[in-house]
Structure formats: C-alpha cells, structure tokens
Amino acid sequence: MKLIIRPEKGFGKIEVELPDELAEKIKKLSERYRVSERKVLEIILFRSFKEPETDVETLENEVRELEKKVAKLEKEWAPLRYKAYGISEDNKILAIELSGLLAENSQLKRFLRKKIERNLELRKLIQYYLR
C-alpha cells in the first residue's frame, strides 16, 4: 500500500510504502470500527487513539445486550404507539363532530332568537384535537 501525505499549503509531499501486513491490519481496523482507512491512518499518525480502561470485548458484549433490551422494549412499545395513534384519530373525528354540532346549535339558537353563548374553552379544546 502506498501512502501519500500532502500538506494543506505548499508543494511538498511524502510518499511511503507500507508493508502488506500493516496495510491489512489498517483495513481490518477500518472494517471493525466502521471508519475509513484514511481516518485510521490519521489516528495512528497523530497518536490520538486512547487505550480503553476495560476490555473492548466486554464492552461490545454489553452493547449487544443493550441492543437486545432496546429491541424488546421496541416490541412492547410499538402496539402502544399504534393504539395511541388510533385514539388520536378518534379524538380528531369526535372534535370535528362536536364542532359541527356546536355550529348547528348556534344556528338553531339564531333561528329561535335566543342568546348565543360562545364557549371559548370548548373551542380551544376542539382546536387542540384538530391539530
């Protein structure tokens, strides 16, 4: 593997031939941690890597266990989310019906020449459910 390092400014560049064994290790690291080979090289060259305080394999096992727990919780939560969506749609339909009934009621009161009462709290509630 041939490594070419170019400066951000200027013309100089450095060309280095990496042994196949080292290039293979870099490739494995990039696949393992799902980063580009270029990023792995930057970390190696600038020594910005950190040694983990605990064993990486135990941490990976903990992550797998947490992923299983998340999947289990998602299975429990999905039906609740579906029911909540159904209830919100029912509330929307009821708000539309209530709005129509209020309009009909006010028309009947006008026809009978009675006092029309404006219930602002009920109107706000209807607007809330229509959103």
Side-chain angles (χ1 to χ4, degrees), residues 17-128:
E17 187 68 36
L18 297 176
D20 292 336
E21 181 181 310
L22 181 60
E24 195 64 35
K25 286 183 180 179
I26 291 171
K27 187 175 183 179
K28 285 181 183 178
L29 284 172
S30 71
E31 290 171 358
R32 181 176 180 186
Y33 295 109
R34 294 186 183 106
V35 294
S36 66
E37 291 179 18
R38 178 184 175 123
K39 185 68 177 172
V40 172
L41 283 170
E42 285 178 18
I43 291 170
I44 292 170
L45 290 175
F46 296 121
R47 295 181 184 231
S48 60
F49 53 88
K50 298 177 182 175
E51 289 294 324
E53 295 174 4
T54 59
D55 187 25
V56 175
E57 291 179 14
T58 57
L59 292 175
E60 287 175 349
N61 289 335
E62 287 179 20
V63 168
R64 284 189 207 102
E65 288 176 23
L66 289 173
E67 286 174 347
K68 289 177 185 177
K69 287 180 183 178
V70 167
K72 183 180 176 184
L73 289 173
E74 178 65 29
K75 287 178 185 177
E76 292 174 8
W77 186 56
L80 295 174
R81 190 175 53 199
Y82 179 74
K83 287 178 186 176
Y85 174 75
I87 290 171
S88 71
E89 289 300 307
D90 290 344
N91 285 343
K92 200 179 281 188
I93 291 168
L94 290 172
I96 291 169
E97 287 180 17
L98 182 59
S99 178
L101 291 172
L102 284 174
E104 186 179 342
N105 191 16
S106 65
Q107 287 295 328
L108 288 173
K109 284 186 177 183
R110 270 196 202 109
F111 180 72
L112 296 173
R113 296 182 185 178
K114 292 196 172 194
K115 182 181 173 187
I116 299 173
E117 299 171 7
R118 300 207 179 266
N119 193 343
L120 295 178
E121 290 180 22
L122 192 56
R123 297 271 178 203
K124 287 180 184 177
L125 192 61
I126 290 170
Q127 287 301 317
Y128 172 79

